Amino acid sequence: MNFDPRFSGRKFASVGTRPIRPDGVDKVTGRARYGADFNMAGQLVGRVLRSPHAHAKIRKIDTSKAEKLAGVKAVITAKDLPDLTDGDAAMYDILDNCMARTKALYDGHAVAAVAAVDARTAKQALKLIEIDYEVLPHVTDVDEAMKHTAPLINDAIFTEGLEEKPIKPSNVTKRSQFGHGDVHQGFGHADFIVERSFKTEQTHQGYIEPHACVASVSSDGTADLWVCTQGHFVYRQHCAQLLGMEASKLRVTSSEIGGGFGGKTHVWAEPVALALSRKAGRPVKLVMTRDEVFRASGPTSATSIDVKIGARKDGTITAAEATLRYSCGPYAGSWAEIGAMTAFACYKLENVKTVGYEVLVNRPKTAAYRAPSAPMAAFAVESAVDELAKEIGMDPVDFRIKNAAQEGTRSSYGPVYGPIGIGPTLEAVKNHPHMKAELGKNQGRGMACGFWFNFGGQTCTDLNIGMDGSVSLAVGTVDVGGSRASLSLVAAEELGIDYAQVKAIVADTSSLGYNDMTDGSRGTFSSSMATISAARNAIRILRERAAQMWDIAVDDVAWEQGHAVAKGEKHGNLGKLSLKEIALESGKTGGPIAGHSELVADGAGVSFATHICDIEVDPETGSTRVIRYTVVQDAGKAVHPTYVEGQYQGGAAQGIGWALNEEYIYGKDGRLQNAGFLDYRIPVCSDLPMIDTQILEIPNPNHPYGVRGVGETSIVPPLAAIANAVSNAAGVRMTHIPMSPPRILAAIEAEREG
């Protein structure tokens, strides 16, 4: 059956309502099982030995003493994970990150692992492993790493994207460029130009649940992996390839996930647990400590960004340019490329150019964090936009409205926009009561815009109708933000039944066709599209069964509000048949009734948001207090408005922490100094105001219900909105994130002295 993904403009009965979350009771009562809650009979405890050096050659590893310790069942090093990547550079990087081969590339890099009968024995075994290191010079700062005098992290890396092929290796792995027009000419037409440099420090997603898994490899080569992940199908593919297994023999089950935000899109310890289980012949449970999560799982990039924007007296931007340098840990990434894509995406520009540089540093491999790379780019651009508006003498909202992208605008990164929500969000902010509220002493207000491009990808869904009329929906996208409730609403809407009749589950990799990772705000967008398709396939069968029960042609049967209805005057004596009545007779009319769908969900639709923030700054100490915060964002269609509001508020809360407190602090020895929540300070309730939200709905034309992804855009504007508020309150432009009290105080004092 052909599926039409175009927006239909239909009215909704279930979609847009706010039923209770299906996983709520289990989570508040402790019945929900997370990664560390699963156990297998006879399981061993896995532990990982990690490098204490930021950069060091591994001369020799002696595991003999650990292997002889009573209770130790397996010890592995890189030799137990041989290179089976067949020249795939990206997979080799994953392999090397899971277990260092010739060099330890950052403080916390895994170099060996053990499996023992208990945690005490495993910990003792790690101490018995002897490693001979040759400590090498290291570099942890993104700007320092770009200098020709910097220690070379990987001598096989030659910068991609240059006009001429380089002859010397470099810490710069790639140069990316986007834009159109002539920025040199554009700046020549500008009456005002703002040019500034900005820095952001590395942050962690701060999920409360650490990485955890249970791996079991049988003697026949089949294996099971229970794991907290955002994409169990991708984990299956990666783990199978790294261990030389057939993917079909590895079943991966996704646990409940205690936060991911992009940080659980990469394998870290899972291949290690599988290798330990294979060697020991018993299941192995491996749970990272909080110290390991910080030191050895993927934080964001640290960045250094230069921005230059010019405009005429009337407020028209004539040219915009940015150079963005993003750290990506010791392995090649695409983080600066994404930053360069998103930097100026909110604006209609005739002349624009962005250049991104991916830079190797001796820090952990970088991972996604909710709209990865976009918040840092928005911080720099939106700060400069605010300063330029002030130079011209325009209200910052009006300045943005004048230059906002709209339908038909060629984006700064290439595509032409369809219907988009940046203009409506700005108009909503301009008219919002928050913008009209009075400010007190030492208080400032800031606002900023944000963009995320979203994507869909490969998706597979099963919908099964029970004989009692209940509906079981099996999806392959991990529920990281309430998608089970949203997808149940979509199934109920399409079938015309009550939400309570639908139960959604996340199927394991052996029960459903392949699904891409739950990232890029694709979860509800892609799986709702597949759910609609599966439901329509089920409705086709329901109509056929009703026709059979009535002994009429199937073309004479329509599906309306959960019932089969006979069309035409000739069938006027036939009543309606409910879904439950048809299902009850399914054994007599052809067997179970189900709908299946597999598709590539294209046309995810871009997403925009505008935020407002009020901040109070103590000029004597530099401390800050967030007074008020408002999020306005386009959802396309809010399937479950409560969850959408939660996504908006969650992104804002994380952005507040990122902007004001959170950062990785490395010592001169290249070691992380604050690998724990006592010293790495994420916001708590007392740090946050009530975060107001306003949902706008500009339908995505490429989805039947108009849905857009919402989970990532909300973290893009906060860094800039807060920076603009702090700058206005303190009377000095802040250019370094996080804006901790010492940085704010230093900026105030420098302004007084200058």
Side-chain angles (χ1 to χ4, degrees):
M1 180 180 178
N2 292 328
F3 175 67
D4 184 358
R6 291 175 298 179
F7 177 63
S8 61
R10 66 186 288 172
K11 293 183 179 181
F12 299 105
S14 295
V15 165
T17 62
R18 302 172 183 257
I20 60 170
R21 57 188 300 162
D23 54 339
V25 173
D26 284 352
K27 286 181 174 177
V28 299
T29 58
R31 286 199 301 265
R33 291 199 299 177
Y34 293 86
D37 292 330
F38 186 73
N39 297 288
M40 296 185 73
Q43 74 183 18
L44 303 171
V45 175
R47 287 289 185 271
V48 178
L49 183 65
R50 301 186 180 277
S51 168
H53 306 294
H55 195 197
K57 283 184 180 178
I58 302 172
R59 288 172 170 165
K60 183 181 178 181
I61 301 179
D62 184 353
T63 61
S64 58
K65 292 180 182 178
E67 290 167 347
K68 293 174 184 176
L69 182 66
V72 172
K73 302 301 180 183
V75 181
I76 67 167
T77 62
K79 67 182 181 181
D80 297 286
L81 282 166
D83 180 10
L84 304 174
T85 60
D86 194 27
D88 186 331
M91 287 304 299
Y92 181 83
D93 285 351
I94 295 172
L95 176 67
D96 189 70
N97 187 57
C98 289
M99 189 66 69
R101 315 190 79 69
T102 59
K103 290 201 302 182
L105 297 171
Y106 56 91
D107 167 40
H109 198 168
V111 293
V114 303
V117 293
D118 55 38
R120 182 179 180 182
T121 304
K123 188 175 180 179
Q124 186 179 355
L126 293 184
K127 295 179 180 178
L128 295 175
I129 298 174
E130 298 176 355
I131 303 181
D132 180 13
Y133 290 106
E134 178 189 343
V135 179
L136 301 172
H138 64 272
V139 60
T140 57
D141 180 79
V142 63
D143 288 319
E144 292 296 320
M146 289 188 71
K147 295 178 179 178
H148 72 276
T149 56
L152 194 62
I153 295 173
N154 186 341
D155 59 12
I157 293 292
F158 293 80
T159 308
E160 297 179 11
L162 300 178
E163 290 184 5
E164 295 184 9
K165 188 174 181 179
I167 59 174
K168 291 183 179 180
S170 170
N171 288 332
V172 180
T173 70
K174 185 179 180 181
R175 178 189 185 276
S176 303
Q177 182 172 321
F178 297 91
H180 54 261
D182 185 332
V183 292
H184 180 75
Q185 187 179 68
F187 284 120
H189 295 153
D191 297 310
F192 297 91
I193 294 176
V194 165
E195 188 170 6
R196 276 199 183 270
S197 296
F198 301 87
K199 283 186 79 78
T200 70
E201 298 298 331
Q202 192 163 51
T203 55
H204 198 273
Q205 299 86 351
Y207 37 79
I208 303 304
E209 180 197 21
H211 297 269
C213 65
V214 179
S216 179
V217 181
S218 301
S219 57
D220 63 359
T222 60
D224 280 277
L225 179 66
W226 167 279
V227 62
C228 53
T229 173
Q230 291 178 235
H232 45 316
F233 289 89
V234 175
Y235 273 40
R236 178 186 65 176
Q237 299 299 109
H238 287 178
C239 288
Q241 185 172 348
L242 295 180
L243 274 79
M245 303 172 61
E246 293 181 30
S248 61
K249 291 186 176 181
L250 174 59
R251 181 178 67 174
V252 182
T253 303
S254 170
S255 69
E256 291 287 349
I257 184 168
F261 315 112
K264 290 175 181 171
T265 56
H266 298 260
V267 293
W268 307 103
E270 296 77 16
V272 174
L274 284 163
L276 285 169
S277 176
R278 181 168 61 183
K279 192 168 186 177
R282 287 169 60 175
V284 172
K285 184 172 184 176
L286 203 162
V287 181
M288 279 189 176
T289 64
R290 183 60 58 185
D291 177 89
E292 289 179 299
V293 169
F294 276 108
R295 291 172 62 217
S297 69
T300 68
S301 298
T303 74
S304 172
I305 303 173
D306 303 324
V307 174
K308 182 179 180 181
I309 309 177
R312 296 191 186 97
K313 294 177 182 178
D314 67 356
T316 303
I317 296 176
T318 61
E321 186 175 16
T323 302
L324 308 99
R325 298 165 289 272
Y326 281 60
S327 67
C328 51
Y331 305 105
S334 58
W335 309 110
E337 182 176 9
I338 298 173
M341 281 179 61
T342 59
F344 292 108
C346 292
Y347 300 106
K348 178 175 59 179
L349 302 170
E350 291 185 6
N351 305 292
V352 58
K353 178 183 177 181
T354 58
V355 178
Y357 294 95
E358 318 287 345
V359 186
L360 299 183
V361 292
N362 293 117
R363 296 190 180 206
K365 173 184 175 180
T366 300
Y369 180 12
R370 264 187 125 143
S373 302
M376 305 84 131
F379 159 60
V381 168
E382 291 293 301
S383 295
V385 166
D386 232 50
E387 194 168 359
L388 184 55
K390 187 176 182 180
E391 289 281 334
I392 296 170
M394 285 187 69
D395 176 84
V397 180
D398 290 336
F399 181 63
R400 287 173 171 86
I401 290 173
K402 183 177 183 65
N403 293 285
Q406 53 194 270
E407 185 172 359
T409 294
R410 183 184 178 189
S411 69
S412 59
Y413 63 99
V416 175
Y417 290 134
I420 56 174
I422 179 63
T425 66
L426 283 164
E427 293 289 349
V429 160
K430 182 178 181 178
N431 297 315
H432 198 283
H434 186 166
M435 289 300 289
K436 301 177 177 67
E438 290 188 8
L439 290 170
K441 185 180 179 181
N442 297 324
Q443 293 179 358
R445 176 167 298 138
M447 53 81 57
C449 301
F451 161 87
W452 185 246
F453 47 84
N454 296 333
F455 59 89
Q458 300 178 78
T459 313
C460 183
T461 297
D462 274 338
L463 186 150
N464 293 279
I465 299 175
M467 292 183 68
D468 61 352
S470 63
V471 174
S472 176
L473 185 66
V475 301
T477 44
V478 176
D479 184 355
V480 296
S483 61
R484 279 173 293 189
S486 297
L487 298 176
S488 295
L489 282 170
V490 169
E493 184 72 51
E494 201 65 30
L495 293 170
I497 59 176
D498 189 79
Y499 166 83
Q501 291 177 247
V502 184
K503 181 178 181 180
I505 62 166
V506 180
D508 66 57
T509 57
S510 296
S511 304
L512 199 62
Y514 181 84
N515 281 261
D516 280 328
M517 184 75 66
T518 300
D519 60 0
S521 295
R522 69 172 295 269
T524 297
F525 167 77
S526 61
S527 278
S528 65
M529 191 179 289
T531 297
I532 293 167
S533 175
R536 290 178 182 178
N537 288 334
I539 288 170
R540 175 176 54 82
I541 298 171
L542 287 163
R543 289 175 53 241
E544 291 172 354
R545 300 297 179 86
Q548 187 176 341
M549 292 168 69
W550 279 328
D551 194 23
I552 63 175
V554 68
D555 289 342
D556 290 343
V557 180
W559 190 260
E560 298 174 359
Q561 298 179 349
H563 293 77
V565 179
K567 298 186 296 182
E569 294 181 3
K570 60 182 177 180
H571 303 310
N573 61 329
L574 296 175
K576 298 179 179 179
L577 283 174
S578 69
L579 179 145
K580 182 176 181 180
E581 290 171 323
I582 299 169
L584 189 62
E585 298 295 317
S586 60
K588 302 174 184 177
T589 59
I593 300 172
H596 179 79
S597 176
E598 62 283 316
L599 49 78
V600 176
D602 292 324
V606 296
S607 176
F608 294 90
T610 302
H611 291 198
I612 319 167
C613 178
D614 292 353
I615 293 276
E616 184 175 284
V617 176
D618 185 336
E620 300 301 319
T621 65
S623 66
T624 56
R625 185 166 67 96
V626 184
I627 306 298
R628 185 173 180 180
Y629 203 101
T630 300
V631 176
V632 181
Q633 184 174 323
D634 170 25
K637 176 61 186 178
V639 177
H640 192 304
T642 301
Y643 275 118
V644 171
E645 290 165 352
Q647 291 282 1
Y648 291 2
Q649 292 165 334
Q654 289 178 314
I656 289 169
W658 190 343
L660 297 176
N661 298 110
E662 300 178 37
E663 65 176 309
Y664 269 39
I665 300 173
Y666 279 88
K668 291 182 179 180
D669 58 359
R671 301 200 69 185
L672 183 62
Q673 297 183 335
N674 59 332
F677 284 138
L678 286 176
D679 298 308
Y680 181 94
R681 191 171 180 278
I682 63 173
V684 296
C685 287
S686 57
D687 296 314
L688 300 171
M690 294 299 292
I691 298 171
D692 297 326
T693 61
Q694 183 176 347
I695 300 172
L696 302 185
E697 295 184 325
I698 293 87
N700 175 8
N702 302 309
H703 187 282
Y705 293 1
V707 170
R708 299 178 191 268
V710 301
E712 293 177 278
T713 310
S714 53
I715 203 172
V716 180
L719 275 62
I722 295 165
N724 288 334
V726 171
S727 298
N728 290 332
V732 57
R733 173 55 53 184
M734 299 300 301
T735 60
H736 196 162
I737 293 289
M739 294 170 289
S740 56
R743 285 200 181 106
I744 293 174
L745 192 59
I748 292 173
E749 291 175 349
E751 182 73 9
R752 287 171 182 166
E753 294 171 1

